[in-house]
Amino acid sequence: MTVKSSGSAAIERELHVEVEFELPTTAVRATVPAGALLTEAAEAAGVFLDVACGGKGSCGGCAVDLIAGAFAAADGTPIALGGQPRRVLACRTRVGAGEQALRVRVPRHSLVTAGEKVVVDFEHLRSWQCAPTVEKRHLQLEPPSLHHAAGDIERIAAGLEAAGFEATVEASLEALRTAPAACEAGKYDVTVTLVKIRPGHWQIVRVEPGDTTGRVYALAIDVGTTTVVCALVDLADGRILDAASSYNQQIRRADDVASRIAYANTPKTLREMERLIVEQTINRQLRLLLTRHELTPADIARVAVGGNTVMAHLLLGVDPQHLGGVPFQPASNLPPSVPASRLGLHVHPDAPVDLIPSAAAYIGGDITADMDLCGLHETDALTLMVDIGTNAEIAVGDRHRVVACAAPAGPAFEGHGLACGMRASDGAIDRITIEPGSLAVEYTVLGGVRPSGICGSGLIDFLGQAFRAGLLTAAGRFDREAAGACDRLQSVTTADGRELTAFIVAPAEDTDDRVAPVMVTEADIATLLQAKAVIFAGIQIAMKQLGRGFDEIERVYLAGGFARYLDLPNAIALGMLPDIAPQRYTFIGNGSLAGAFLHLVDRQTGPRMRQAALRPEVIELNLDPDFMDAYTMAMFLPHVDRDLFPSVG
């Protein structure tokens, strides 16, 4: 929208308007050009909305309430408020110009924020020793003189050798530049930070005056397609001090790995995707962690990263285009360590950034970490490992043979693309029970606040409970006859204007914003059934390739951000996981983060993971002739072949 000034030389100028965003706990403002999208205005105010579909208006994650002022649809059609809040999608709504101030309310579930509370939840399924890949050594060096004029770095190397440090030592350029001032300030009483760069070779990356040996830190990162977690590690004793998590900000441009490969097809968009993961995601979390613990970026001496192969390419700024088509060729499954300064990470510039090695284009470092944790490739027992995430990965086998595949489940179980889906943060319904007969609902909410949406574990509970209660048919449709007079089953209009049948889990008056109910629609159920069907079909195809049956599986390990919290009977009841005795299941939790942590604190982990990454025989599900039939049969609750689920009534 432009306004022309009067005069002989007409000059166009943009009309700017102020928009106030009412958040759950505060309010912020931004001044933007009239006609800007609400998502753009929100970003200018420092508010990042959940635009998982990249602004196409298809995911519903950026729903907001228009309170006052002039607004228009994406095509410019004015939106009439009529004195009442109007729920819209921010990515399809523009700010207008008028006399009334513009006010927008943002529900909690529409926010993407760094620094949300997260539990670093993983189990070390193998023993480890605290032998970090970073060391600090306190040295009292002989000051220089005319008779002993060795350089500061050589003086430090000699001091390390005298102190029993048995390795070849070299210095980084940053250490060379800063060592003289540090030695002078400490009167040659200094602490040296060394990082292992390869067996028998260490690099000096920092020299500090005095004794700072108690302050040595590193960062473990799980770079997921949907969620990123950063954990601050104290290498002095091998403890995780703190963690932060948020959505991977790349979802603002593309949702899943395939669409991100397609988006990053030019040098400009590739750099943009790198910036979104480094600056807009990791560095935000890092700043939060450093502030909490009164640290500086230079205190972080090493970074270890677990994640899938596509995320690794985008983090490093490597063109991922060859991953998008046959033969799905990565630039490297064993990427080298790179200095943090090359990536723009706000840690010590010479801190090595180590990526856990991958097995293939779609069997990434996160799965290598999972395999290492559960020892799948080292045991005689037939073992199944399933990492449940946006791109669910499956590995099955024993020490003789391992088969692995990737099942593109999508981000539904992390809340994306659903009417009321959200991450497992405050306000998320994480447990649901539905009473057969009465269809009475009970639920629990994370954080002890009013509900804002439903996270993955709650969605799995809903499907399993609704099916058991007779509310859902095997095809995933609401059974109106079984529901009877239940007033929770209603026809609703979604924020994007669709008329859908929905089950109301929490009525509007009980929710966080008191405007819209927390619900599950038939469209949500269809999306969830597609996700669970891909996972189960992937397991079936992997087992077929191995030539083994479900009854032979002795151990099942479940990994992934929310796998720890899913209700196993409900996950089996909806047909996502094999109907195997519950005692055979073990939860790993966030295996990718655990692998990154172990890589930092135990020097044996890195070499061991490189060997693990070489083991799987990788199969491509879309090239298997039986996959589509397996997927179609798994689209039903629990499955077309009910004999596969004898325990499900």
Side-chain angles (χ1 to χ4, degrees), residues 106-328:
V106 183
R108 190 186 303 272
H109 62 76
S110 295
L111 287 169
V112 173
T113 57
E116 295 182 41
K117 288 184 289 187
V118 62
V119 176
V120 181
D121 190 13
F122 54 74
E123 297 180 9
H124 301 305
L125 301 180
R126 64 187 310 147
S127 61
W128 59 278
Q129 293 183 340
C130 189
T133 53
V134 177
E135 281 197 21
K136 271 194 168 185
R137 291 295 183 102
H138 177 227
L139 302 174
Q140 182 64 63
L141 304 174
E142 180 184 348
S145 67
L146 290 176
H147 304 290
H148 185 46
D152 289 325
I153 294 299
E154 290 73 33
R155 197 177 300 272
I156 289 169
L160 288 168
E161 183 178 0
F165 190 81
E166 297 179 356
T168 301
V169 174
E170 60 189 57
S172 71
L173 179 60
E174 181 70 14
L176 183 63
R177 287 170 171 171
T178 58
C183 289
E184 183 177 13
K187 294 181 172 40
Y188 285 84
D189 178 4
V190 297
T191 299
V192 180
T193 302
L194 302 110
V195 297
K196 183 180 179 182
I197 54 175
R198 59 184 181 275
H201 289 73
W202 291 67
Q203 184 178 61
I204 301 168
V205 296
R206 190 182 189 191
V207 182
E208 301 169 87
D211 185 355
T212 64
T213 50
R215 292 170 58 88
V216 52
Y217 304 96
L219 194 70
I221 308 177
D222 167 34
V223 179
T225 307
T226 304
T227 304
V228 175
V229 183
C230 291
L232 179 64
V233 181
D234 185 342
L235 295 179
D237 55 13
R239 289 185 304 126
I240 288 183
L241 297 179
D242 201 354
S245 72
S246 71
Y247 282 123
N248 183 333
Q249 293 296 305
Q250 291 173 341
I251 62 174
R252 289 153 54 184
R253 297 295 179 265
D255 196 352
D256 56 23
V257 291
S259 59
R260 291 187 199 177
I261 292 171
Y263 184 82
N265 64 349
T266 69
K268 180 180 178 181
T269 54
L270 176 58
R271 287 194 300 271
E272 181 184 8
M273 294 302 269
E274 184 182 4
R275 180 186 63 82
L276 286 170
I277 184 60
V278 173
E279 182 56 40
Q280 298 297 319
T281 307
I282 297 174
N283 280 346
R284 279 189 186 180
Q285 296 181 26
L286 183 53
R287 283 192 290 269
L288 177 76
L289 295 172
L290 293 177
T291 300
R292 282 179 182 169
H293 295 272
E294 299 181 343
L295 301 176
T296 68
D299 289 321
I300 308 299
R302 197 170 200 123
V303 179
V305 182
N308 67 53
T309 313
V310 175
M311 292 303 101
H313 277 59
L314 294 176
L315 174 66
L316 296 176
V318 176
D319 186 353
Q321 297 310 304
H322 291 97
L323 296 171
V326 177
F328 311 109

Side-chain angles (χ1 to χ4, degrees), residues 427-469:
I429 293 175
D430 66 326
R431 286 282 180 262
I432 297 175
T433 58
I434 301 175
E435 186 69 26
S438 68
L439 300 183
V441 176
E442 292 185 0
Y443 56 79
T444 60
V445 184
L446 295 176
V449 297
R450 286 173 173 264
S452 304
I454 311 175
C455 66
S457 59
L459 293 165
I460 287 175
D461 280 0
F462 177 82
L463 288 180
Q465 292 279 307
F467 181 61
R468 282 196 173 112

Side-chain angles (χ1 to χ4, degrees), residues 3-126:
V3 176
K4 288 187 177 181
S5 63
S6 59
S8 56
I11 301 175
E12 288 192 352
R13 61 179 177 84
E14 285 186 330
L15 176 64
H16 285 71
V17 295
E18 186 177 79
V19 186
E20 179 178 279
F21 291 91
E22 298 178 2
L23 306 177
T25 58
T26 187
V28 294
R29 296 177 178 84
T31 300
V32 297
L37 289 169
L38 273 181
T39 46
E40 297 169 338
E43 187 166 344
V47 177
F48 295 96
L49 300 174
D50 178 9
V51 192
C53 62
K56 301 180 183 68
S58 59
C59 71
C62 62
V64 297
D65 300 317
L66 306 181
I67 306 300
F71 300 91
D75 62 3
T77 305
I79 296 176
L81 298 186
Q84 296 293 324
R86 173 83 176 268
R87 179 147 289 191
V88 298
L89 297 179
C91 69
R92 310 305 298 162
T93 306
R94 300 186 183 277
V95 300
E99 297 181 359
Q100 190 176 14
L102 276 67
R103 291 171 52 215
V104 178
R105 181 166 56 215
V106 183
R108 190 186 303 272
H109 62 76
S110 295
L111 287 169
V112 173
T113 57
E116 295 182 41
K117 288 184 289 187
V118 62
V119 176
V120 181
D121 190 13
F122 54 74
E123 297 180 9
H124 301 305
L125 301 180
R126 64 187 310 147

